[in-house]
Amino acid sequence: MSTEAAGAAATEQPLDERVNNRSQKPDSDAFRAFMAANWAPSAQELPARDDVADFAAGRRRAISMQFPKERLVIPAGALKVRSNDTDYRYRPHSAFAHLTGLGVDHEPDAVLVFEPTDDGEGDDGGQHRATLYFRPLAGRDTEQFYADARAGEFWIGARPTLAEFAARLGVATAHLDELEAAITKNVGDPAIGGTSIRLVRKVDDNIDALVDTARYNTAQDPQEADLAALDALDAKLTETLSELRLIKDDWEIEQMQIAVAATAAGFEEIIKSLPRAITHHRGERVVEGAFFAHAREEGNELGYDTIAAAGNNATTLHWTRNTGQVTPGELILVDAGVEADSLYTADITRTLPVNGTYSEVQRKVYQAVLDAADAAFAVAVPGRKFRGVHTAAMEVLADRLQDWGLLPVPAEVALSAEGQHHRRWMPHGTSHHLGLDVHDCAQAKRELYLDGIITEGMVFTIEPGLYFKNEDLAIPAEYRGIGVRIEDDILITADGPVNLSEALPRTPDEVESWMAGIYGANGPTS
């Protein structure tokens, strides 16, 4: 290598630094000194305890009692790159949010660690002391203040101090720099005095690697370490955390009511957007955008990607491209939910006639779906099995499909395990639990979910549908291109189900009247 080439190689900028070339950060000593001086002091008064703090403490105690003498590690998760040096909007893992009470006031890379204690010495009478590890606010005399685009106050705004989070959440806090020692200390076989770890995996790759390394390094014979058994420990923690959310506490129910109310108001904005959507070559995007703007104004985010499916697109269950036209005379199925600042989300679907009036066949299909939903409501009572909600809806739909001459067999044959012909037009489940995740409690055991008993405090959806594709030659042409789903969010009380989304019209007459009140006398323009 020539001297010139060697010199160039020595001074070449490392690849991982080039991403910051655009910022042109000044680095003179004079600049550093000037940036560190003459800032007003930060607020010294600690914030009040959050309303959620006592509820979150109860959740932590419930988990603690399930895993005595074991260290539990629940990461919030890291930022995820969307494109080059820009990240997706951050959202912590739901288990972390549930156990801390943190919603949008979060910390990327934070980790909640449950450290086992002697009996009776844990938090709130539990078996552990919990500590929230995170990266606190950097001082304004540090380079991070103005130079760190992911964490610096100059770039992303003020972040909480350790003391502030401790005051708000009622949980001990520590700097993220102390996390590695907290996780790895004394890891090993409990039979010989070590501490077993359980981890919520696939949330933060760095934490996964840290725990795996600690387990491997402390195994008596690393080559014979039972990795499958260790993975099972982690899976059991994830399962238990998911099952903890099957029953909502009073604070969670309040957050669900907030999310549902915001979503219901968003459907008003959807109807207001339809006249413009009709004129746009991607009218579904107009509808999607109207709801998204409302979700960002009134909540944190969308709870999931909005489905704004017009015409035949409504027969694609998870149509989120939303690139289609919106045409008078067709239906538009909108499945949408606002995620509140607490991260709890609603999940509501309405199927609307674009011109404000259902055709005869559209009304017939809609009424069948509504009747199926009402049948599901009737059995969604404490003491009944959760899977019975789906069964009740399917019985109604199979009967209607038989009445219309669409089933190739009698309804009772279709409803049998060996039949299921009706599922050609209703292939999904009728209900799922709802909360921090739109499909909440998804890691719960079957016997507590599908085969579980409906219990006071549960929140779930009821959402039957019928989907007749344009390409479906098994049905008469009059049905093709019609997709209908009606979805409501249900709270189970001692007296039965309460429809949290009852403010949104459900019957065909109510929907038409609702839309007329928004459209005015002339209806939408085409």
Side-chain angles (χ1 to χ4, degrees), residues 48 68 83 116 141 144 146 149 154 169 227 270 312 350 361 370 374 377 380 415 417 420 427 430 443 470 489 500 526:
S83 173
D141 59 346
Q144 185 189 65
Y146 61 86
F154 215 93
L169 304 176
L227 299 181
I270 286 168
N312 192 53
R350 288 295 184 265
V361 68
L370 181 62
D374 289 344
F377 267 84
L415 289 165
Q420 300 294 300
T430 302
Q443 287 77 38
N470 270 339
D489 299 342
L500 298 177
S526 59

Side-chain angles (χ1 to χ4, degrees), residues 40-53:
S42 299
Q44 298 299 310
E45 187 175 344
L46 292 178
R49 187 177 173 93
D50 287 357
D51 291 341
V52 70

Side-chain angles (χ1 to χ4, degrees), residues 144-155:
Q144 185 189 65
F145 167 61
Y146 61 86
D148 190 333
R150 274 186 159 182
E153 182 180 353
F154 215 93
W155 291 84

